[in-house]
Amino acid sequence: MNKKTVKRGLLPYVFIIIIMFGMLFFINNNNRKINYITYDEFIVEMNKNNVKEITITPRSNASVYEVRGSLKDYSEKESFFFRAPLAEEVMNRLLAAETDNLFKIKTESDPSSSTILLLIINVLPIVILVAVAFFFISRQMNSANKSMDFGKSRARLNEERKKVTFNDVAGLKEEKEEVQELIDFLKEPKKFQKLGARIPKGVLLVGPPGTGKTLLARAVAGEANVPFYFISGSDFVELFVGVGASRVRDMFRQAKHNAPCLIFIDEIDAVGRQRGSGIGGGHDEREQTLNQLLTEMDGFGENEGIIIIAATNRPDVLDPALLRPGRFDRQVQVNLPDKKGREEILEVHARNKVFAKGVKLSNIANRTVGFSGADLENLLNEAALLAVRRNKKAITMAEIDEAHDRVLMGPAKKSKKYTEYEKKLVAYHEAGHAVLGIKLDGANDVQKITIIPRGYAGGYTMMLPKEEKFTATKKELTERIIGLMGGRVAEELVFNEVTTGAHNDFEQATKIARAMVTEYGMSSLGPMQLEQQEGSVFLGRDYNKSRNFSGQVAFEIDQEMRKIIDECYKEAIRIIKKERKLLDLIANTLLECETITKEQIDYLVEHGCLPDEDNEVDASDFKEVSLEDLTLTELKDLASEHGIKGYSKMTREELEEALKDLI
């Protein structure tokens, strides 16, 4: 912390202490009782031998003696006061009384003759005036200095004591390998220079929000143990043209003095957008800032030992000059984690949390498809908060289930009451989705069904892909649309009525159908890409789409979409009519329990009823899982359940061998 800041922080306390002492002195003086008498009254008391002691203070400027004292019948806080003429006979009379041992006399010097007092009275006001003037002048100078620092860099040096390393970054194995070269170069640059290798000057981390781009950059700096400057792209751009360019120059000047070092620019799309494009025209300040950044990265000057890492989730709007070789010539895709990555991320965030015995991180990873690292951290934090709220000593699956629903849909609105008719309608709507999810191979797998309102939804069916895949077939997309139609079909068949509850289902189904026709070439129009998303730089990403077709083709696209939707709707009707008993069974179970999980659904389909409370339901009851299919964490959990000693130090092969005889 700055010493000047400490001093400024102590000044108010010093003034408060002085004021408190002054108030105490004033209060103490006010508590004393002073009796004002005349000189003649004093003489009378002195002749009565009633004076105990006096203190004489000469006042030469007023030609009097000030006399304070006390009488024998006074209390401790009581005294008398009088003024006597500054004459020799008065002093002689008082001294004679002291000689006769009538009372004690103390004398004090004239305060007006004190050099210190003279200085205080005459010099102190001038000092105070000078100090006040100096204070206001220094404030004006600081303001002027701040205005002069307007073009200084806003990049901050990371000085945190606990440095982030690759051990704190989970689920990004390939991404860490990509940036490992940067760490080796910062540690041993001569090893690369001997072979004439040129390390990338800039690395661009691209990926959805919350995937760990900033965390990865901090880990690179922590592993390399070099200075790490971080700044946001918006910190460059100001109202006045040229300020951002000045800040870029100052940032690189500071970095050169501390080379080798890292500069991390977060949200670089705020300053690195395409120049002079879009309906909104150019932006002189941002464009000058970008030009200066391009020049500093790969201009006439050399920036040896300075590596720039930038992060963005909008690579489509960046200027092409920013991405050419010599600048950000390496792009690292930081994507959403897969199942194994999610489990590793959960293990990192579970280090300081207490879980119940039955909680398995692998099961949580299976149910969190599409979650980013930030989402998983939020999930466990919400579960911990719920456990504290419920006064539990450990986090159980009940808290994790509730936290999962809160992250996806918001808190449950238990106070919202359905009418019996509306509750039954919602139950059949969700049961319709569930029946199609169970009976169709290409549809998503039903994980949970609830009719408890959350957010804007009256209920929901959580459906996740059976497998995490990079591509989707036409059959899978079609069956996905069929699954989305299940809610409306169930309403129509059971109640002979339709509601507004399926609006989100239709929105998703229409998007899939249009993409099949215009982007994936999965219709009779042939393998053609008729539409393409165009993210406008200034007007938003999905403001418009490029349409390279005539009005006749647009009519044919609408016909093909209608054909796909109609066929899927008819197929949904056929399946639900055929499985009407299963639809009624799931709907009636929902009306009774309000929420059922995947294990309960599987048991319900097989046995026609829910299991007893004493009968635990587990996914392993319905399918055989070999030891080879389990992760290392699951093997250790299994070994713990069977009481195998020393399982935490065993390798995978040793665990499989020990469990073969027990399972």
Side-chain angles (χ1 to χ4, degrees), residues 527-564:
M528 298 172 61
Q529 188 176 44
L530 301 171
E531 286 185 349
Q532 182 178 347
Q533 298 287 344
E534 281 193 351
S536 178
V537 177
F538 295 102
L539 296 180
R541 178 176 299 187
D542 299 326
Y543 183 78
N544 59 355
K545 293 182 178 180
S546 62
R547 292 179 172 83
N548 302 318
F549 49 81
S550 64
Q552 177 63 29
V553 176
F555 175 71
E556 293 176 5
I557 290 172
D558 293 339
Q559 283 186 319
E560 289 295 324
M561 288 176 56
R562 184 182 296 276
K563 181 181 176 182
I564 292 173

Side-chain angles (χ1 to χ4, degrees), residues 225-507:
N225 196 23
V226 296
F228 176 58
Y229 291 93
F230 60 96
I231 189 171
S232 173
S234 60
D235 287 335
F236 290 112
V237 183
E238 287 287 352
L239 175 65
F240 304 105
V241 176
V243 174
S246 175
R247 289 177 178 176
V248 171
R249 288 191 295 270
D250 188 63
M251 180 180 69
F252 277 89
R253 182 185 60 80
Q254 292 181 26
K256 287 176 184 177
H257 290 310
N258 293 281
C261 69
L262 275 172
I263 298 175
F264 176 62
I265 305 176
D266 199 9
E267 304 296 343
I268 194 173
D269 51 274
V271 70
R273 289 184 175 184
Q274 297 178 21
R275 292 167 289 182
S277 62
I279 299 174
H283 187 289
D284 288 339
E285 164 62 357
R286 185 172 61 240
E287 290 183 7
Q288 285 198 19
T289 305
L290 176 59
N291 291 337
Q292 187 63 44
L293 181 62
L294 296 174
T295 304
E296 293 287 347
M297 289 187 69
D298 189 24
F300 289 102
E302 292 291 333
N303 288 322
E304 292 296 334
I306 301 174
I307 295 177
I308 302 177
I309 300 178
T312 181
N313 51 16
R314 291 293 309 274
D316 54 311
V317 304
L318 295 180
D319 195 279
L322 201 61
L323 305 177
R324 75 158 177 83
R327 282 158 186 162
F328 287 104
D329 44 10
R330 177 175 294 183
Q331 292 190 27
V332 178
Q333 295 288 334
V334 186
N335 295 319
L336 294 172
D338 56 6
K339 177 182 177 298
K340 184 178 179 182
R342 292 194 297 273
E343 185 175 352
E344 293 174 357
I345 293 171
L346 287 169
E347 288 177 354
V348 171
H349 295 304
R351 290 174 182 171
N352 61 339
K353 294 178 176 61
V354 180
F355 291 94
K357 186 177 180 181
V359 176
K360 295 182 180 180
L361 298 180
S362 58
N363 293 338
I364 303 174
N366 286 330
R367 302 173 55 183
T368 51
V369 178
F371 276 48
S372 65
D375 293 331
L376 294 171
E377 180 186 12
N378 187 35
L379 173 68
L380 294 185
N381 184 62
E382 285 287 342
L385 292 174
L386 286 169
V388 173
R389 194 180 303 169
R390 296 172 180 177
N391 296 320
K392 291 188 176 181
K393 296 181 179 179
I395 302 170
T396 65
M397 281 304 298
E399 284 74 45
I400 293 173
D401 285 337
E402 176 65 20
H404 183 273
D405 294 340
R406 289 171 71 92
V407 170
L408 286 179
M409 305 290 294
K413 297 182 179 179
K414 296 181 179 179
S415 60
K416 183 178 180 180
K417 299 298 182 183
Y418 282 125
T419 62
E420 289 299 321
Y421 176 78
E422 191 177 16
K423 185 176 182 181
K424 187 176 181 181
L425 194 145
V426 172
Y428 271 96
H429 180 101
E430 301 303 334
H433 288 303
V435 168
L436 294 176
I438 293 168
K439 294 301 177 181
L440 293 174
D441 295 332
N444 290 338
D445 201 12
V446 181
Q447 297 290 327
K448 184 178 181 180
I449 314 171
T450 180
I451 57 173
I452 297 175
R454 286 183 183 273
Y456 292 104
Y460 75 97
T461 302
M462 186 171 69
M463 303 173 71
L464 300 175
K466 294 180 174 66
E467 296 178 356
E468 294 185 52
K469 300 167 65 176
F470 290 99
T471 60
T473 64
K474 181 180 179 180
K475 180 184 177 183
E476 289 172 344
L477 293 175
T478 303
E479 292 187 350
R480 201 173 298 173
I481 296 175
I482 296 172
L484 290 168
M485 296 295 166
R488 168 57 67 85
V489 170
E491 292 174 3
E492 195 171 0
L493 289 178
V494 177
F495 300 96
N496 197 24
E497 186 65 85
V498 294
T499 68
T500 60
H503 69 95
N504 184 255
D505 301 331
F506 294 157
E507 179 184 354

Side-chain angles (χ1 to χ4, degrees), residues 71-280:
L71 301 179
K72 292 181 179 179
D73 57 349
Y74 279 8
S75 63
E76 289 185 8
K77 293 186 178 182
E78 191 175 2
S79 63
F80 63 80
F81 177 83
F82 70 91
R83 288 187 177 91
L86 189 62
E88 185 176 354
E89 59 180 17
V90 173
M91 180 57 67
N92 292 334
R93 190 169 185 177
L94 293 175
L95 293 175
E98 182 188 21
T99 305
D100 296 338
N101 294 322
L102 296 177
F103 50 81
K104 296 180 181 179
I105 296 179
K106 296 180 183 178
T107 59
E108 292 181 352
S109 60
D110 188 357
S112 61
S113 63
S114 173
T115 305
I116 297 175
L117 184 62
L118 286 173
L119 287 173
I120 291 174
I121 294 173
N122 297 319
V123 179
L124 186 61
I126 299 173
V127 172
I128 292 174
L129 288 174
V130 172
V132 171
F134 178 77
F135 173 74
F136 283 106
I137 292 171
S138 63
R139 287 194 63 179
Q140 293 294 327
M141 292 294 292
N142 287 335
S143 300
N145 290 334
K146 288 180 180 179
S147 63
M148 295 297 291
D149 291 342
F150 199 58
K152 296 293 184 182
S153 170
R154 299 290 178 90
R156 299 176 295 279
L157 183 63
N158 186 24
E159 297 178 346
E160 58 184 12
R161 295 181 180 178
K162 185 180 178 182
K163 293 185 177 180
V164 178
T165 63
F166 280 168
N167 293 330
D168 302 309
V169 182
L172 299 175
K173 183 178 180 182
E174 291 78 10
E175 290 81 356
K176 287 189 285 188
E177 291 175 356
E178 282 291 313
V179 297
Q180 183 64 44
E181 289 180 358
L182 305 181
I183 300 170
D184 295 338
F185 173 76
L186 291 170
K187 287 183 176 179
E188 300 180 44
K190 293 182 179 179
K191 183 174 69 173
F192 292 84
Q193 294 169 358
K194 285 181 181 178
L195 298 178
R198 181 183 63 82
I199 203 69
K201 292 185 179 179
V203 176
L204 184 65
L205 304 179
V206 180
T211 50
K213 299 184 291 295
T214 304
L215 184 65
L216 184 60
R218 291 173 59 193
V220 172
E223 291 285 340
N225 196 23
V226 296
F228 176 58
Y229 291 93
F230 60 96
I231 189 171
S232 173
S234 60
D235 287 335
F236 290 112
V237 183
E238 287 287 352
L239 175 65
F240 304 105
V241 176
V243 174
S246 175
R247 289 177 178 176
V248 171
R249 288 191 295 270
D250 188 63
M251 180 180 69
F252 277 89
R253 182 185 60 80
Q254 292 181 26
K256 287 176 184 177
H257 290 310
N258 293 281
C261 69
L262 275 172
I263 298 175
F264 176 62
I265 305 176
D266 199 9
E267 304 296 343
I268 194 173
D269 51 274
V271 70
R273 289 184 175 184
Q274 297 178 21
R275 292 167 289 182
S277 62
I279 299 174

